[in-house]
Amino acid sequence: MAAKNKLLRHIAIWLSLFTVMTTAMSFRMGVEESLVRSSIFLASQAIVFYSNLVFLFPRFLGQKKYFLYVFGVLLAIVISAFVMHISDVLLGFDPPFMKEMKEHGKAFRKAHPGHGRNFRKFIWLFHRGHLFGHVIASFATLFLSTSIGYASGKQRREKEDAELKNKMLEAESRFLKSQINPHFLFNTMNNIYTLAQLKSEKTPDAIHRLSGLLRYVLYESDGERVKLGQELEYLRQYVDLSSLKDEDSSNVTMQVHVADESKMI
């Protein structure tokens, strides 16, 4: 369930980013082009995000292998930029405002024939600036995924520590049971043996109580929760069995007032 919720959160975030980017781009270009551009950009950023979150961060940065981590990050950014650039080339897309700049460039070259080469250099630099902007966005994505990785790692460690403490408590509880149960069982069997020798009418009832108590301890009390009524019945049987040899039953009294014994504890 936790993994499913995590997946749904990731999908919701990427869809939100896609919607915002597509809406913003649609003001200066066609809807179809803005949809494709947003998809290409977010797909390239997803390469950086998930390669860092799933592989690079836990494998290298978490293990303090800094050189391999930096190399992996740079490789992911280069691959991301390459994917976006090749997609633009194959689809015939220019960076935003490039169409307008080319139109202005044609007019500029007609008006100033000797400066055409300088304008082409400017266009080349703009293309590189477009890729540079993508690299800057990739570093922002990298920072975000690293922050999420740190937070997830901290949460996972806290969960593991809590589970370890619970296991230690369970082990201590089992150890105490292993010490108490044989001692209690030994005394109870001796008491029942004494009742049997005396041919007491309490013998069958004592054996029945001991059987129910052992059944509860061995099979029913290992669950995470039990009914309050079951636990109270266990205590009653424990007190009764511990008082078998006591002729004066007034030495021990047990009073319980519970509104709902079906409550889980």
Side-chain angles (χ1 to χ4, degrees):
M1 182 61 71
K4 183 179 180 180
N5 292 337
K6 185 177 180 181
L7 176 62
L8 291 176
R9 284 198 301 271
H10 279 248
I11 293 174
I13 291 173
W14 286 109
L15 286 177
S16 300
L17 290 173
F18 177 77
T19 303
V20 171
M21 285 194 64
T22 303
T23 303
M25 287 183 176
S26 63
F27 287 111
R28 62 173 186 268
M29 63 182 69
V31 176
E32 183 179 352
E33 185 176 350
S34 63
L35 287 171
V36 177
R37 284 185 180 280
S38 299
S39 301
I40 294 172
F41 177 78
L42 291 178
S44 64
Q45 292 301 309
I47 293 174
V48 177
F49 185 88
Y50 289 108
S51 61
N52 180 60
L53 182 64
V54 177
F55 182 76
L56 297 175
F57 178 82
R59 223 23 114 73
F60 299 135
L61 189 59
Q63 302 297 326
K64 298 183 179 180
K65 299 177 181 179
Y66 300 118
F67 176 79
L68 291 175
Y69 177 73
V70 172
F71 177 78
V73 164
L74 293 177
L75 181 62
I77 292 176
V78 169
I79 293 174
S80 172
F82 179 78
V83 168
M84 191 186 74
H85 181 68
I86 291 298
S87 300
D88 283 345
V89 171
L90 293 176
L91 295 172
F93 287 155
D94 286 321
F97 303 114
M98 186 58 68
K99 293 179 180 178
E100 292 83 351
M101 292 180 67
K102 285 183 177 180
E103 292 175 359
H104 289 304
K106 290 179 181 179
F108 180 83
R109 285 196 298 272
K110 288 181 180 179
H112 307 280
H115 297 283
R117 181 177 298 177
N118 292 332
F119 191 83
R120 282 194 295 272
K121 288 182 179 179
F122 176 75
I123 295 293
W124 183 86
L125 290 174
F126 189 88
H127 271 282
R128 297 303 176 269
H130 174 60
L131 291 176
F132 180 74
H134 173 77
V135 171
I136 295 298
S138 297
F139 275 108
T141 302
L142 181 69
F143 175 79
L144 177 62
S145 62
T146 303
S147 301
I148 294 175
Y150 270 117
S152 299
K154 182 180 179 181
Q155 185 178 11
R156 183 174 60 255
R157 287 191 297 271
E158 291 177 350
K159 183 178 179 181
E160 290 174 352
D161 290 342
E163 290 177 353
L164 180 60
K165 290 179 180 178
N166 288 335
K167 288 180 180 179
M168 292 177 63
L169 290 173
E170 290 176 4
E172 291 177 1
S173 176
R174 291 193 185 99
F175 178 71
L176 289 174
K177 283 184 179 181
S178 68
Q179 288 182 312
I180 295 173
N181 289 342
H183 177 71
F184 169 76
L185 184 61
F186 178 77
N187 287 340
T188 303
M189 292 299 292
N190 279 338
N191 292 341
I192 294 176
Y193 174 74
T194 302
L195 291 175
Q197 280 194 325
L198 297 174
K199 298 181 181 181
S200 172
E201 296 179 356
K202 296 181 180 179
T203 304
D205 181 60
I207 295 175
H208 179 72
R209 288 178 180 275
L210 178 61
S211 174
L213 187 145
L214 292 177
R215 185 186 305 109
Y216 178 78
V217 172
L218 294 175
Y219 301 112
E220 299 176 10
S221 65
D222 286 338
E224 186 176 348
R225 291 175 179 271
V226 295
K227 289 184 178 180
L228 178 59
Q230 289 179 292
E231 191 74 7
L232 292 175
E233 182 60 25
Y234 167 77
L235 293 175
R236 293 187 186 99
Q237 291 178 358
Y238 187 92
V239 171
D240 291 341
L241 288 173
S242 299
S243 305
L244 286 177
K245 291 181 65 176
D246 193 351
E247 295 180 357
D248 186 4
S249 60
S250 64
N251 288 335
V252 178
T253 59
M254 180 177 176
Q255 295 181 351
V256 179
H257 303 284
V258 180
D260 185 5
E261 293 192 357
S262 65
K263 293 290 186 181
M264 302 301 289
I265 62 172

